[in-house]
Amino acid sequence: MTATGASDEGVGARGAPVNGPVDGPWWWARRRSAVLDVFLAAASALECLIEGAKFADEAQLPELLGLLLGLLAGSVLLVRRRWPVAVVLVSIAVMPAEMGVLLGLVGLYTLAASDLPRRITALLAGMSVVGSWVTSYLNVQQGMAGQQGFRPPLWFAPVTSVAVGLLLTAPPVLWGLYIGARRRLVESLRERADGLERELSLLADRAEERAEWARNEERTRIAREMHDVVAHRVSLMVVHAAALQAVALKDPEKASRNAGLVGDMGRQALTELREMLGVLRTAEGPAVRGGSAPAASERLAAVASRAGAQATERDRPAGPPAKPSGGAPTAGPGAANAASTGAHVPEQRGGEAAAEGPHLAELADLVGQSRAAGMTVELTVDEDAGDDGGAVAAEAGCRYAARVERTVYRVVQEALTNVHKHAPGAQARVRLAHRDGELAVQVENGPGESGAAGAGLPSGGNGLVGMRERVTALGGVFVSGPTETGGFRVSAVLPVSPVPAA
């Protein structure tokens, strides 16, 4: 707050600078403030010059002394914004000389409007009232003594003196208090508005950061989903194509089978890709309009699962698959495996299986695809009834949340794809363990066969990163690394809660 309470002044009543633009000379915040004070000081000096000459004549003092006293007293208004207390004290000091009426009025107003403690304002206002009352009382007494026929009551002189003192003091003080309070309120409201504006700006920045984070997260989710559902089938296509090239002249019948598998895989990959692109086109509008970020990737998973299941059903042979010798778990489709052991495969969990993406019941199909590409894969399930992996997976498909089952499926899928890429000819083992409150999966492969020709599959280094992101997003633990025998192991443990089958 400034010396006069005005918001455009740059110096407070105690001489401290205040906030705001300062473009005036010395202690004035603005030039117009300086012009106003110069005008008031000139008017006060003129008044005091006239009254000083009169005082010098009555007191029988040199007229020059009276003029000098009036000039000095009236010019004090120049520093009213800097030292309002000094201005009021000077006005009280010259009251016996009957000069400085304008000086006293402006000084009291400036004092009341400043940020000085109210006790100082009250003390100086009281001194001004007393000084005005004494001066007025003496003048009234002299006036009554000079008029022989005027005999007022005894209370006339004191009451008149008090009225004059209050009239010269109360209006400027009250007006200054009002102006000061109003301008302080305006300043506080302005500061509050500035604070709210800063908060809104911070909130807008944070909202933009959250939106950018959500967009980046959604791009990552979509890229991870497309990598999982497309890269696996394309990798199998490359493996089959390499095998076709190797046996084209030696075994035409096997080459024909491999060519058929390549065509099947290509059709499945195209179907999944077409479905996912359709989801992205339809989900782009709602996402821009404020739709939920995970919606597109969730639909991608569902579309990929549905398209893969449809393609697998179209290409599945009519006859029941034969079990391999040696007691190894069957690698055929999960439903066929379940039927061969009498296990019941629930249809859709509450009618939502098609919309939840791949689940544990499809692990046998996934392993069968890798076996068809020439990999030796063993699928085992621990702590569950039954010896057939497909049947157990089918039963487990109804036991856990869709996100958990989809994550386990993607971990196995990517791990098998990495075996095709980096360890051609290696044997792989997929273990699924159902424990109390958690679901564990492990995919381990041995070293690749010496001399085995790789398929030349490119690697972008995103597979392990995507698996870790999926697992940690559900609060699980993901570990990967080489084994002592020269192979590679991928392990994941996910916290789960059983979901009753429909």
Side-chain angles (χ1 to χ4, degrees):
M1 183 52 60
T2 64
T4 61
S7 61
D8 59 346
E9 295 173 358
V11 180
R14 295 168 182 164
V18 298
N19 296 330
V22 179
D23 58 2
W26 296 343
W27 53 81
W28 288 286
R30 296 184 180 181
R31 291 185 177 89
R32 67 180 185 181
S33 301
V35 171
L36 176 61
D37 287 355
V38 169
F39 173 77
L40 291 175
S44 177
L46 180 60
E47 175 201 357
C48 291
L49 281 173
I50 297 174
E51 295 174 346
K54 182 180 177 182
F55 170 73
D57 181 59
E58 293 178 355
Q60 297 181 356
L61 296 174
E63 185 176 359
L64 181 60
L65 182 60
L67 293 175
L68 182 60
L69 177 61
L71 180 62
L72 293 177
S75 302
V76 173
L77 280 181
L78 284 173
V79 296
R80 70 182 184 95
R81 301 175 190 266
R82 185 74 172 183
W83 297 295
V85 175
V87 174
V88 175
L89 291 176
V90 171
S91 68
I92 295 173
V94 298
M95 279 183 182
E98 298 182 5
M99 67 173 63
V101 176
L102 180 61
L103 176 65
L105 294 175
V106 177
L108 288 173
Y109 163 79
T110 305
L111 178 67
S114 67
D115 60 350
L116 286 170
R118 290 294 167 250
R119 63 178 180 272
I120 297 179
T121 302
L123 176 62
L124 295 177
M127 293 172 59
S128 179
V129 170
V130 172
S132 299
W133 176 77
V134 171
T135 304
S136 301
Y137 182 79
L138 295 176
N139 289 336
V140 171
Q141 291 291 346
Q142 291 177 2
M144 290 189 302
Q147 297 181 6
Q148 298 295 332
F150 183 65
R151 293 293 184 271
L154 294 178
W155 55 264
F156 177 78
V159 172
T160 302
S161 302
V162 171
V164 172
L166 292 178
L167 184 63
L168 294 177
T169 304
V173 171
L174 294 178
W175 182 251
L177 292 175
Y178 166 72
I179 294 298
R182 188 185 69 175
R183 288 176 178 171
R184 279 190 289 271
L185 176 61
V186 170
E187 287 186 0
S188 66
L189 293 177
R190 185 182 293 112
E191 292 177 358
R192 185 178 301 177
D194 293 342
L196 290 176
E197 185 177 357
R198 288 191 296 269
E199 291 181 4
L200 290 177
S201 178
L202 291 176
L203 290 176
D205 294 341
R206 292 177 182 176
E208 181 63 26
E209 291 176 359
R210 287 195 297 269
E212 183 65 24
W213 177 85
R215 287 191 292 267
N216 294 335
E217 186 71 13
E218 180 62 12
R219 292 191 191 100
T220 303
R221 288 170 59 91
I222 292 175
R224 184 169 62 239
E225 199 67 37
M226 294 192 69
H227 173 273
D228 290 343
V229 300
V230 176
H232 178 71
R233 296 195 183 279
V234 175
S235 300
L236 292 180
M237 289 174 58
V238 175
V239 172
H240 283 297
L244 173 63
Q245 184 180 9
V247 301
L249 299 178
K250 301 178 182 179
D251 192 347
E253 183 178 355
K254 186 175 181 180
S256 177
R257 289 197 304 270
N258 286 338
L261 290 175
V262 170
D264 295 340
M265 291 293 177
R267 284 190 293 272
Q268 294 177 21
L270 287 176
T271 300
E272 294 176 1
L273 184 60
R274 188 183 302 113
E275 293 286 346
M276 286 186 294
L277 291 177
V279 170
L280 289 177
R281 292 192 185 98
T282 57
E284 181 179 1
V288 172
R289 292 190 296 269
S292 60
S297 56
E298 298 292 338
R299 293 183 60 192
L300 282 176
V303 166
S305 176
R306 185 168 60 252
Q310 292 174 354
T312 303
E313 289 294 334
R314 287 196 304 267
D315 300 325
R316 181 181 299 163
K323 292 184 179 181
S325 60
T330 50
N337 292 331
S340 66
T341 59
H344 173 66
V345 180
E347 296 179 355
Q348 292 185 352
R349 286 164 284 179
E352 297 179 357
E356 292 175 347
H359 46 85
L360 297 183
E362 301 178 18
L363 282 181
D365 292 340
L366 184 63
V367 172
Q369 293 171 6
S370 294
R371 283 180 175 171
M375 181 189 299
T376 302
V377 188
E378 178 185 358
L379 173 63
T380 60
V381 180
D382 297 339
E383 299 185 10
D384 225 316
D387 295 328
D388 185 79
V392 171
E395 293 176 2
C398 302
R399 293 174 46 181
Y400 304 112
R403 294 183 63 188
V404 173
E405 297 190 9
R406 183 168 62 249
T407 299
V408 172
Y409 182 91
R410 296 304 185 198
V411 168
V412 175
Q413 183 184 56
E414 181 61 28
L416 293 179
T417 302
N418 289 340
V419 176
H420 285 292
K421 290 181 180 180
H422 306 294
Q427 297 182 355
R429 182 183 183 186
V430 179
R431 296 182 59 189
L432 187 66
H434 303 276
R435 303 170 183 169
D436 185 15
E438 63 182 18
L439 178 62
V441 61
Q442 183 184 88
V443 181
E444 182 178 352
N445 64 275
E449 293 182 356
S450 58
L457 292 168
S459 176
N462 297 319
L464 294 177
V465 175
M467 285 189 283
R468 184 180 301 277
E469 290 176 351
R470 286 182 178 274
V471 173
T472 56
L474 298 180
V477 178
F478 178 82
V479 179
S480 62
T483 62
E484 296 179 355
T485 60
F488 200 83
R489 180 186 298 115
V490 172
S491 302
V493 179
L494 297 171
V496 295
S497 57
V499 177

